[in-house]
Amino acid sequence: MVNWHDVTGTISGDCPWNDDLLFAELVTKKLEIPLKTVDFSDEYRKRIVDYMFSEYEKGRTPNPDVLCNREVKFDLFLKAALQEGADYIATGHYCRKNELHTRNGNVYQLLAGVDTAKDQSYFLCQLSHPSFRKRCSYRQSEKKRSARNCP
């Protein structure tokens, strides 16, 4: 997923998406799976950057990370991934998801990570229920340090 091309005013290495792409290429080559990229830079500018500056002009402090998760990762990117046949998307956010079985269907809860010092559930707080149920976590019940050591 590419969200930004404009490097005007950035310090070299400030937004290393080229490095991220190279890393993704190495991983997909090792796993012998195809890599597909999608460019959401226009939508990102409209939904995140323009909103952020509008809020600053009004004297408010927006949280572009929370907004990006709701508007880009779990809307545009999720839809693109599902169109490609994905069942879920995985993010690097450290938090937990709980599934409750009710008479009216399953309900998914966003929970803080086990290691509260590393918890990132706040960044997913504005996700819709349908979007959140399509997010998977790897070893979400463990401390973040041990999750990083997984194969």
Side-chain angles (χ1 to χ4, degrees):
M1 173 172 63
V2 178
N3 292 336
W4 197 253
H5 294 286
D6 185 2
V7 293
T8 305
T10 61
I11 299 169
S12 178
D14 223 15
C15 188
W17 70 268
N18 282 325
D19 295 342
D20 293 342
L21 181 59
L22 177 60
F23 181 69
E25 289 170 346
L26 292 170
V27 170
T28 57
K29 183 176 180 182
K30 176 76 173 170
L31 296 174
E32 298 179 353
I33 59 174
L35 174 66
K36 179 160 177 105
T37 59
V38 287
D39 188 337
F40 297 129
S41 55
D42 289 338
E43 293 89 347
Y44 183 84
R45 179 181 294 279
K46 291 173 193 167
R47 292 187 184 195
I48 310 305
V49 176
D50 290 350
Y51 171 80
M52 186 177 66
F53 284 113
S54 171
E55 289 297 293
Y56 284 141
E57 287 174 351
K58 296 172 185 168
R60 297 191 287 241
T61 306
N63 188 322
D65 294 330
V66 171
L67 191 61
C68 180
N69 286 322
R70 185 186 75 203
E71 296 291 322
V72 180
K73 288 180 187 164
F74 288 91
D75 183 24
L76 300 173
F77 178 68
L78 177 59
K79 287 175 184 172
L82 294 174
Q83 282 183 324
E84 289 293 320
D87 295 317
Y88 299 94
I89 59 173
T91 70
H93 298 96
Y94 181 71
C95 64
R96 295 177 296 141
K97 177 174 74 174
N98 187 44
E99 182 176 356
L100 300 174
H101 305 284
T102 70
R103 279 191 264 191
N104 298 326
N106 295 345
V107 175
Y108 298 88
Q109 297 174 306
L110 171 63
L111 304 173
V114 172
D115 186 345
T116 56
K118 303 290 185 179
D119 176 52
Q120 295 176 317
S121 58
Y122 172 78
F123 292 102
L124 303 177
C125 68
Q126 290 188 2
L127 298 186
S128 68
H129 186 266
S131 295
F132 188 66
R133 74 181 179 85
K134 290 294 187 180
R135 178 197 176 269
C136 67
S137 301
Y138 187 60
R139 289 190 164 183
Q140 59 194 0
S141 62
E142 295 185 20
K143 296 271 187 179
K144 191 169 185 178
R145 178 180 29 228
S146 62
R148 284 186 174 166
N149 293 330
C150 297

